[in-house]
Amino acid sequence: MAGTEEAVEAALGKLDLDAKTRLLAGQDMWSLPELPEIGLTSLVMSDGPIGVRGVRWTADDPSVALPSPTALAATWDPELARRAGTLLAQEARRKGVHVLLAPTVNLHRSPLGGRHFEAYSEDPYLTGRIGTGYVTGVQEGGVGTTVKHFVANDAETDRFTVNNLVGERALRELYLAPFEAIVENAHPWGIMTAYNTVNGTTMTEHHHLVNEVLRAEWGFDGYNVSDWMAARDTVGALRGGLDVAMPGPQTVYGEALARAVRDGRLEESEVDEAVRRVLRLAARVGALADAEPAVGEPPAPVDGEALAREIARRSFVLVRNERAALPLKPGTVALIGAAARDARVLGGGSATVFPARIVSPLDGLTAALPEGTLTYALGADPTTELAVADKGFTLRAVCRDADGNVIGTGSAPNGQIQWMGSDLPEGVTHDALHTVELTGTFTPRASGPHSFGIKGTGAFTLTVAGTTYFDGAQLPADDSDPFEAFFGAPVPHAQVELTAGTPVEVSLTYVFALPEDIPFKVVAFALAHQEPQRDEDELIAEAVEAARAADTAVVVVATTDRVESEGFDRGDLTLPGRQDDLVRAVAAANPNTVVVVNSGSPVELPWREDVAAVLLTWFPGQEGGAALADVLTGAHEPGGRLPTTWGSLTDAPVTRVVPEDGELPYTEGLYIGYRAWEKEGRTPSYPFGHGLGYTEWTYESVDITGTGVTVRLRNTGERAGHEVVQVYLAPTGPGTDRPARWLAGFAGVEAGPGESAEVTVELPRRAFEVWDEAAHRWVFVKGSYEIQVGRSIADRRITATVNV
């Protein structure tokens, strides 16, 4: 076996120009071509951050679904992130995947960002630490990562075209900082460049940020892959440092790249540089013969269900707990809310995976509480419109040719068909495919008028219980978005009176047709459904009665994938439907009301002072309900701390996500997240770093030796607990325009009741540096700083001064 660089050079020397350029282009949706002449197997990539879907959009091969990235960041535990990475590498190897298209380390610049559940935090230091743990874990398992989306891809509106105008200092100190930390500390094997433009140059052609900063300055030696369909120009992309253009088969690389070299517009040596980086990736993941893979023996197997449950309970943030409402006291519990029965465990979009099981809050509490102590009431439904058909549906996909002959069948885990590239049922080709019929039965949970509809664009026929309700074309709501079929709203077409428990046949037939200019083949549409809409005042009244009869009321509220998803930003931070009304009504009936908030990023909680406890559970993954029972019953402590400030939209200092004339200026500069809240003198609902446990902590002393901050604290409560010690740095003298304070370090500690604990937090040199825009370099700012140690940015318990 040869060393990596030796094997790469030997392989490169055997390739002609056409083979080289073919290697730099996706051969399909998720993979690069194999090159048998050099012993290179096809490199396979897969979404996503919480689980490994593999190359097919199906539940036939289920994936472990971990809690969302915001949940992982809420643990404030890089070692737990590393363990998550270890599990995901195990899942990737099982599915034949070499590269994970994760993690997302963009920042929560505005709370309206629709995809923030897939990113970690508003703080670059916390993001970098969690991302470093994650990348380390995945790559220790022999699987590559692509840290994304490089860079300033912090919102979804017009994401293909927006020109984000970011000052050099903000770019360095905020948006590039997590990428830099991960490159330095975890050495990722890949990076993904974003759709957007930064300061006038599209990111897939950004020579300065990719070649000069990422590679030359930071020493990144991995490969750079485009976000899907982001590469636009052959010469611009290669000169800008883009190695792989995805997806295929139609890309700006491949034949177009070979032609550019033959026409003299590019040198073959420039192509060789990109090929070297792809071959280096192949060597590292064990896909290049004669090269020693980076990992010889994979780590010991990880129990995915147990880890998903552990991360979930460690991520839950208890933001309010009056009169020690939690853990639950013995007695009766009324569980309320549609979100308690139909759990939402992950965010919408490309991060979707299909777990083998999902434990809802209702499932979890039913299993954990004594028999006869739990009642359930629907209350209010967050789903205010049709959603992809799911509960009660048993469906399969039947593919036919133009003559009506069946050419293949496929499973359908729910009403969504999303076959991308070569991901088609066995025996089916795009050339032969004429129609896809999603067919099967639906067994209603409730009697009454059920609504059915269609998500997607094209010609459809919808039949329910033998009656055809729609036969025609459904046009896109937004022609400019190539992903409209994936992320657009479902359109209702039928209302059918059905009886609970009585199955009916349903069928949605789609005529397969692709626009000529689409760069890859995709079959994407969905059958949508909504249950009979009962009078919401009646439902809330029933919930109030249940709450009044119980010792404790637990209300579960949530967002939906029409609120938080890839593809669009949020218009507000309110909970959908009448969930706020439900909480107010229940709280008025039972002073012992606990609210569980299931959202991937901040929502407004206008009733928060009227309830006994508020627990934030993010999108908690497949074991979320079991973890919730662990925490509510007190078997485990909620371990999370806020990775992002929670507050109302009217108070939020930075909210703009909509470009004007194609441009989105980051006029706030350095001041996003808690930096901005402090600068504007505004008080959020819950500050960055906040989170309560089930015990009390006293901070006793802080000692500083060099850059080490040693903190001694004592558990003064009555049970063992976990504390996240947070260290903030505040400049005391005048000088450069800097925030009032910023996170400079943190560490977790554990102690039994009455026990003390000691932890040393090392402050990085970068915490004392600023980016000098005139000199284009980092500058160490000497002077006096206050070291502020505490439980959140607002709850600082103990301080010390240091001169540097």
Side-chain angles (χ1 to χ4, degrees):
M1 283 281 183
T4 300
E5 298 308 311
E6 208 181 332
V8 165
E9 290 307 317
L12 178 65
K14 296 175 186 169
L15 297 177
D16 62 17
L17 177 62
D18 292 315
K20 291 173 187 174
T21 56
R22 205 164 71 247
L23 180 60
L24 304 183
Q27 66 175 352
D28 54 26
M29 195 68 196
W30 304 113
S31 68
L32 299 183
E34 64 174 357
L35 297 177
E37 63 266 37
I38 56 168
L40 176 70
T41 56
S42 172
L43 281 165
V44 179
M45 309 170 214
S46 169
D47 290 320
I50 65 153
V52 184
R53 191 172 61 245
V55 298
R56 301 190 56 213
W57 193 273
T58 175
D60 292 349
D61 180 15
S63 311
V64 173
L66 295 178
S68 64
T70 37
L72 192 59
T75 69
W76 288 59
D77 189 340
E79 175 57 25
L80 195 55
R82 189 184 71 78
R83 289 171 56 206
T86 303
L87 170 69
L88 293 172
Q90 173 180 304
E91 285 277 280
R93 291 193 308 272
R94 180 173 69 81
K95 291 189 173 222
V97 167
H98 301 103
V99 180
L100 207 52
L101 301 172
T104 300
V105 299
N106 301 112
L107 298 185
H108 298 178
R109 175 182 163 267
S110 158
L112 293 174
R115 201 178 180 181
H116 280 348
F117 60 84
E118 208 179 307
Y120 294 129
S121 168
E122 68 190 27
D123 182 75
Y125 177 74
L126 177 59
T127 297
R129 289 281 306 274
I130 298 296
T132 292
Y134 181 100
V135 167
T136 301
V138 174
Q139 294 186 172
E140 283 175 346
V143 173
T145 56
T146 52
V147 189
K148 66 185 189 181
H149 308 86
F150 192 73
V151 64
N153 181 190
D154 310 300
E156 293 293 279
T157 305
D158 297 344
R159 61 183 177 156
F160 296 96
T161 55
V162 61
N163 179 17
N164 293 322
L165 304 176
V166 193
E168 191 181 338
R169 187 174 166 203
L171 197 56
R172 289 286 189 156
E173 293 188 24
L174 295 178
Y175 303 102
L176 287 170
F179 291 95
E180 182 182 11
I182 293 166
V183 168
E184 182 182 345
N185 297 305
H187 311 292
W189 301 344
I191 206 127
M192 182 191 290
T193 34
Y195 292 123
N196 55 283
T197 290
V198 173
N199 299 330
T201 304
T202 188
M203 278 310 306
T204 47
E205 300 169 27
H206 217 303
H207 176 84
H208 168 62
L209 290 177
V210 173
N211 286 334
E212 294 175 358
V213 176
L214 175 66
R215 289 194 171 120
E217 192 182 315
W218 301 348
F220 172 69
D221 70 351
Y223 90 124
N224 167 15
V225 61
S226 72
D227 203 342
W228 267 227
M229 294 168 49
R232 297 166 174 87
D233 180 82
T234 303
V235 174
L238 196 75
R239 292 245 158 99
L242 183 72
D243 300 323
V244 172
M246 290 295 290
Q250 283 174 262
T251 84
V252 299
Y253 283 176
E255 288 175 16
L257 182 55
R259 198 161 51 247
V261 172
R262 292 190 173 111
D263 291 349
R265 290 179 290 138
L266 287 167
E267 296 294 327
E268 188 167 354
S269 59
E270 296 174 271
V271 173
D272 288 350
E273 281 301 310
V275 173
R276 269 189 193 95
R277 290 188 281 262
V278 175
L279 292 174
R280 186 179 295 138
L281 170 71
R284 284 168 166 166
V285 299
L288 182 63
D290 303 327
E292 192 74 51
V295 175
E297 189 69 33
V302 177
D303 181 332
E305 287 183 4
L307 183 60
R309 185 168 178 168
E310 180 185 350
I311 293 171
R313 63 184 179 235
R314 289 283 313 280
S315 75
F316 294 169
V317 183
L318 184 60
V319 292
R320 178 178 173 86
N321 194 21
E322 297 300 297
R323 305 182 304 281
L326 290 179
L328 294 170
K329 315 263 185 315
T332 54
V333 175
L335 181 63
I336 294 163
R341 179 189 66 181
D342 301 328
R344 184 172 187 208
V345 301
L346 43 83
S350 62
T352 301
V353 293
F354 303 100
R357 71 170 201 165
I358 288 175
V359 184
S360 70
L362 179 56
D363 298 332
L365 283 171
T366 299
L369 295 177
E371 200 172 332
T373 60
L374 182 71
T375 59
Y376 173 72
L378 191 68
D381 196 335
T383 306
T384 56
E385 58 185 32
L386 278 72
V388 171
D390 193 8
K391 299 284 189 301
F393 286 85
T394 304
L395 301 168
R396 63 194 182 103
V398 179
C399 301
R400 293 183 173 88
D401 62 18
D403 297 324
N405 302 309
V406 175
I407 54 174
T409 60
S411 69
N414 56 19
Q416 178 111 358
I417 294 293
Q418 194 149 305
W419 299 332
M420 304 169 87
S422 54
D423 170 20
L424 288 169
E426 196 172 337
V428 179
T429 64
H430 290 106
D431 290 340
L433 182 63
H434 179 61
T435 62
V436 180
E437 183 189 10
L438 199 53
T439 180
T441 59
F442 170 55
T443 306
R445 293 191 290 196
S447 298
H450 287 253
S451 299
F452 294 84
I454 301 165
K455 182 176 177 179
T457 61
F460 294 96
T461 306
L462 172 64
T463 303
V464 182
T467 301
T468 297
Y469 288 90
F470 181 79
D471 189 1
Q474 182 166 295
L475 300 174
D478 179 3
D479 287 328
S480 69
D481 188 344
F483 290 106
E484 170 70 23
F486 300 89
F487 304 128
V491 180
H493 289 292
Q495 197 167 63
V496 191
E497 199 71 34
L498 300 176
T499 305
T502 303
V504 292
E505 292 189 358
V506 292
S507 163
L508 176 63
T509 301
Y510 164 68
V511 180
F512 175 62
L514 286 176
E516 283 181 12
D517 58 346
I518 195 157
F520 60 91
K521 293 183 168 69
V522 60
V523 184
F525 67 95
L527 172 65
H529 167 256
Q530 187 178 33
E531 293 196 328
Q533 295 303 287
R534 282 188 55 202
D535 181 85
E536 289 191 305
D537 289 328
E538 274 181 35
L539 288 170
I540 290 173
E542 286 175 11
V544 165
E545 286 311 305
R548 194 173 278 132
D551 295 312
T552 305
V554 176
V555 186
V556 182
V557 296
T559 59
T560 69
D561 62 7
R562 294 295 306 144
V563 174
E564 285 187 89
S565 173
E566 180 181 345
F568 49 83
D569 292 311
R570 295 195 279 173
D572 57 53
L573 301 181
T574 56
L575 287 166
R578 291 190 56 195
Q579 297 180 100
D580 286 335
D581 293 344
L582 172 68
V583 173
R584 287 192 183 97
V586 169
N590 188 331
N592 209 26
T593 293
V594 174
V595 184
V596 175
V597 183
N598 188 15
S599 69
S601 42
V603 289
E604 291 177 355
L605 312 172
W607 33 258
R608 66 185 184 281
E609 301 293 334
D610 306 327
V611 301
V614 179
L615 183 71
L616 312 180
T617 61
W618 316 105
F619 296 141
Q622 67 176 63
E623 304 299 316
L628 181 65
D630 288 341
V631 165
L632 292 183
T633 60
H636 289 270
E637 192 181 38
R641 304 294 184 266
L642 286 182
T644 285
T645 307
W646 278 52
S648 71
L649 185 59
T650 48
D651 288 338
V654 181
T655 57
R656 187 177 161 196
V657 291
V658 178
E660 202 171 301
D661 298 327
E663 293 186 342
L664 184 63
Y666 286 27
T667 51
E668 70 284 345
L670 296 176
Y671 296 92
I672 66 167
Y674 64 78
R675 294 164 165 83
W677 284 87
E678 290 211 321
K679 181 175 186 246
E680 299 295 330
R682 299 178 191 176
T683 304
S685 308
Y686 301 110
F688 177 81
H690 174 61
L692 308 171
Y694 288 157
T695 187
E696 297 296 323
W697 295 88
T698 299
Y699 283 66
E700 295 182 337
S701 66
V702 57
D703 293 305
I704 299 167
T705 310
T707 56
V709 178
T710 301
V711 181
R712 192 175 181 83
L713 62 165
R714 186 176 299 276
N715 178 348
T716 51
E718 294 172 4
R719 59 175 284 167
H722 173 87
E723 176 72 331
V724 177
V725 176
Q726 301 167 37
V727 180
Y728 296 89
L729 204 55
T732 58
T736 52
D737 172 32
R738 284 189 286 178
R741 73 201 89 251
W742 53 88
L743 181 68
F746 61 88
V749 296
E750 291 180 359
E755 291 178 0
S756 66
E758 190 175 275
V759 65
T760 298
V761 177
E762 285 292 332
L763 300 186
R765 178 181 173 85
R766 182 57 55 79
F768 299 92
E769 293 181 328
V770 299
W771 182 261
D772 184 329
E773 290 190 332
H776 308 296
R777 64 183 179 91
W778 291 101
V779 175
F780 190 87
V781 183
K782 296 177 179 176
S784 177
Y785 292 83
E786 192 169 67
I787 308 285
Q788 304 174 339
V789 182
R791 310 198 67 197
S792 77
I793 192 148
D795 184 1
R796 305 184 295 275
R797 298 291 177 93
I798 194 165
T799 63
T801 303
V802 63
N803 292 296
V804 295

